[in-house]
Amino acid sequence: MDLRSHIRALPKAELHLHLEGAIDPELMMRLAVRNNVDIPFRSADEIRAACRFTRLQDFLDLYHQGMTVLRAEEDYFELTAAYLERVAADGAVHVEVFFDPQGHTARGIPFATAADGILAALADGRERLGITSLLIMNVWRDLSEDDGFAAFRHAEPYVADRRIAGLGLDSTEIDHPPAKFERLYAAAREAGLRLVAHAGEEGPASYVAEAVDRLAVDRIDHGNRALDDPALVRRLAERGMTLTVCPLSNLRLGVVPDLQRHPLKRMLDAGLKATVNSDDPAYFGGYLLDNFVAVTEALELEWADLVTLARNSIEGSFLDDSARTAHLERIDRVVAADG
Ligand code: ADE
Ligand code: ZN
């Protein structure tokens, strides 16, 4: 079996995926026409040509513009359904997806329009594709904590019955340390949400430590820069903290100069529970399996590393114990069959 098919056959979870980052150029063009939204591109190829970034902010500017094509509940459904088809074909059995409610409500789109469209597609994906899923709402760290609280209030009915399972933090990292959101995270924890935060993508190792110590996160999204602080690495390893690492995103945003120097293998060797994810696949040139294949080739990962990455993704998920065990047993069966 070739490498791609081999990795595809390994059951795995994707834990770091922004739905607004999964609007493929063709879908963006189609939705722009359907909703009469003005975007500065005349073709999908022009969008692809615009996907050249030197740092996070370059990407965020395009990402913010791209999500304006989403207007109706069916748009959110279509986007989510297309992503699920794609990631299921990559061998994902479970996903935990982010959406950025402030990017929609600020344009006058009700919170419920976005959330209901996404949730309907996730339910459809469970039925049709057998893929389990959870929804996490992210708040933008370059906005105020009060703005984050407003988003959290919109989410209240969805949090109450766990249609929204978690809270995360994303957008421009530098100058917006996690502690800025300490009260919001305390409220979310009190409401029973699971907690994640982007940290150590462009920001320093101290932001990773702050997310752990001040926000009490259950997972770190990215976490690359944690490696600058050996004592922090030991602490993360001892706690079994999951890192949702995004190789092609890191390459495209200049977080790493090339994939050969990507820290994923060093993370695994340091005992960190790293996972592989696609982040914003429509913008970074690859979905989940593309990320696995690219980083496996660049770092010469072995089958044992790949099995560890797949296991980490299930163990680091927010599934309940019985679902988690069921998915881990699926991995065990594939590994056993593989010899
Ligand atoms: N929003 C979408 N993708 C992101 C990333 N990689 N970092 C910060 N914010 C994001
Ligand atoms: Zn991200």
Side-chain angles (χ1 to χ4, degrees):
M1 216 191 302
D2 67 294
L3 179 66
R4 201 175 171 85
S5 310
H6 213 184
I7 302 176
R8 182 185 292 118
L10 200 50
K12 51 187 119 35
E14 176 148 63
L15 304 179
H16 185 154
L17 179 284
H18 302 262
L19 284 169
E20 297 90 342
I23 311 174
D24 274 335
E26 283 74 16
L27 178 62
M28 194 187 293
M29 287 307 298
R30 204 149 43 76
L31 292 179
V33 171
R34 186 158 94 194
N35 292 331
N36 203 14
V37 175
D38 209 11
I39 53 170
F41 308 108
R42 281 163 305 170
S43 68
D45 280 341
E46 281 191 17
I47 300 170
R48 267 187 282 276
C51 290
R52 287 177 198 283
F53 316 112
T54 54
R55 60 200 175 99
L56 176 59
Q57 194 60 48
D58 298 342
F59 155 69
L60 288 173
D61 293 343
L62 186 61
Y63 170 83
H64 289 157
Q65 188 164 57
M67 71 176 73
T68 64
V69 303
L70 297 166
R71 297 206 63 88
E73 190 174 318
E74 67 185 290
D75 305 337
Y76 293 90
F77 183 97
E78 220 173 296
L79 164 64
T80 308
Y83 161 68
L84 290 175
E85 287 273 351
R86 181 72 195 255
V87 78
D90 281 356
V93 294
H94 175 67
V95 296
E96 300 190 359
V97 296
F98 302 133
F99 80 121
D100 288 342
Q102 289 151 307
H104 310 293
T105 54
R107 297 182 288 117
I109 312 295
F111 184 97
T113 298
D116 292 352
I118 294 168
L119 287 163
L122 294 178
D124 180 65
R126 277 191 285 278
E127 290 230 329
R128 281 192 316 109
L129 304 167
I131 188 163
T132 57
S133 51
L134 292 170
L135 180 59
I136 296 174
M137 62 175 276
N138 279 346
V139 295
W140 282 349
R141 67 201 308 154
D142 47 338
L143 299 182
S144 69
E145 189 182 38
D146 281 349
D147 212 301
F149 265 110
F152 186 55
R153 276 193 294 275
H154 282 133
E156 253 165 22
Y158 298 84
V159 170
D161 62 10
R162 298 287 181 274
R163 279 175 292 166
I164 289 181
L167 175 75
L169 190 62
D170 64 356
S171 200
T172 312
E173 184 178 11
I174 297 204
D175 295 333
H176 300 286
K180 180 177 164 186
F181 294 89
E182 196 164 4
R183 291 179 317 136
L184 178 62
Y185 271 67
R189 191 179 327 121
E190 185 69 21
L193 288 186
R194 307 303 300 265
L195 305 175
V196 301
H198 282 53
E201 181 184 20
E202 279 191 346
S206 63
Y207 282 17
V208 178
E210 223 175 77
V212 172
D213 297 331
R214 305 277 294 271
L215 304 187
V217 294
D218 298 297
R219 281 198 308 250
I220 291 287
D221 294 317
H222 295 296
N224 300 47
R225 297 284 303 276
L227 293 182
D228 297 343
D229 179 349
L232 175 62
V233 169
R234 280 194 295 278
R235 211 146 65 82
L236 295 173
E238 275 160 20
R239 293 174 73 129
M241 179 65 68
T242 298
L243 306 184
T244 64
V245 179
C246 307
L248 290 174
S249 164
N250 292 159
L251 178 66
R252 293 297 193 97
L253 297 183
V255 170
V256 295
D258 54 57
L259 278 185
Q260 284 71 27
R261 275 177 277 185
H262 193 280
L264 181 71
K265 178 71 174 147
R266 278 186 282 136
M267 289 171 166
L268 293 176
D269 290 345
L272 293 170
K273 291 206 168 286
T275 61
V276 169
N277 306 271
S278 69
D279 205 3
D280 301 282
Y283 291 92
F284 300 146
Y287 280 77
L288 181 60
L289 187 55
D290 303 314
N291 273 272
F292 264 98
V293 170
V295 81
T296 297
E297 286 176 342
L299 299 179
E300 300 181 2
L301 299 183
E302 298 185 354
W303 182 240
D305 298 317
L306 295 166
V307 173
T308 298
L309 289 165
R311 272 196 217 291
N312 288 350
S313 72
I314 300 296
E315 285 170 358
S317 76
F318 297 147
L319 285 165
D320 61 32
D321 285 346
S322 73
R324 194 197 320 262
T325 303
H327 284 319
L328 287 171
E329 285 170 0
R330 289 170 78 172
I331 297 178
D332 290 341
R333 284 196 292 276
V334 169
V335 172
D338 201 66

